[in-house]
């Protein structure tokens, strides 16, 4: 099945960023706007309390599930926003490395942000995403 997402790399911007600078999807693609994926288990409890890496991994797992339920996968994601409740850049990097590794070569345009607080008790990480698919 052909993919809807085309990643665009810039030859004029720095190659320091570990993601494509832009992405497109054709007009006939179905867009999927995902709520922020949180590090919650099936009972709604926050997992990996105090562990940025563990929470990022849980967010990715929940994101995969939400995508699957919508008829998509990580390769259909067109952009992400990774939120980390911290004032330390090392925490941002730790969360980003988990997300980056999960996406592999499908390095979609992304924003990584440190925020003051997130919505659930003991929550440190949240991942927002938009996906695009071509339905058969």
């Amino acid at each position: 099945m052909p993919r809807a997402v085309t990643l665009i790399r810039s030859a004029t911007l720095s190659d320091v960023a570990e993601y494509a600078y832009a992405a497109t999807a054709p007009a006939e693609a179905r867009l999927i706007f995902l709520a922020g994926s949180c590090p919650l288990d099936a009972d709604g409890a926050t997992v990996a309390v105090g562990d940025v890496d563990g929470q990022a991994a849980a967010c990715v797992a929940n994101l995969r599930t939400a995508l699957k339920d919508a008829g998509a996968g990580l390769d259909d994601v067109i952009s992400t926003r990774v939120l980390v409740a911290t004032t330390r850049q090392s925490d941002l990097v730790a969360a980003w490395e988990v997300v980056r590794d999960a996406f592999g070569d499908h390095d979609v345009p992304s924003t990584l942000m440190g925020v003051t607080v997130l919505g659930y008790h003991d929550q440190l990480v949240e991942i927002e995403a938009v996906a695009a698919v071509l339905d058969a």
Side-chain angles (χ1 to χ4, degrees):
M1 173 183 225
R3 295 283 177 198
V5 177
T6 301
L7 299 179
I8 301 168
R9 306 197 188 291
S10 174
T12 55
L13 294 171
S14 169
D15 63 357
V16 167
E18 297 178 326
Y19 47 80
Y21 276 99
T24 63
E28 65 272 15
R30 176 172 54 92
L31 296 179
I32 304 166
F33 297 89
L34 293 113
S37 177
C38 300
L40 302 177
D41 66 16
D43 295 322
T46 303
V47 301
V49 173
D51 178 6
V52 170
D53 295 40
Q55 287 200 4
C59 289
V60 169
N62 287 339
L63 178 63
R64 285 181 193 270
T65 299
L67 285 163
K68 182 179 177 188
D69 291 346
L74 287 182
D75 286 344
D76 298 307
V77 171
I78 195 166
S79 68
T80 67
R81 181 177 298 130
V82 180
L83 309 170
V84 185
T86 188
T87 59
R88 297 187 318 217
Q89 190 176 29
S90 60
D91 290 338
L92 293 171
V93 170
W96 174 249
E97 288 175 348
V98 171
V99 174
R100 179 200 61 209
D101 291 350
F103 277 85
D105 290 338
H106 188 66
D107 55 346
V108 300
S110 298
T111 300
L112 176 63
M113 298 172 52
V115 299
T116 303
V117 66
L118 291 166
Y120 293 99
H121 187 67
D122 293 324
Q123 181 183 0
L124 299 174
V125 181
E126 187 163 335
I127 304 170
E128 296 178 20
V130 176
V133 296
L134 295 171
D135 292 321

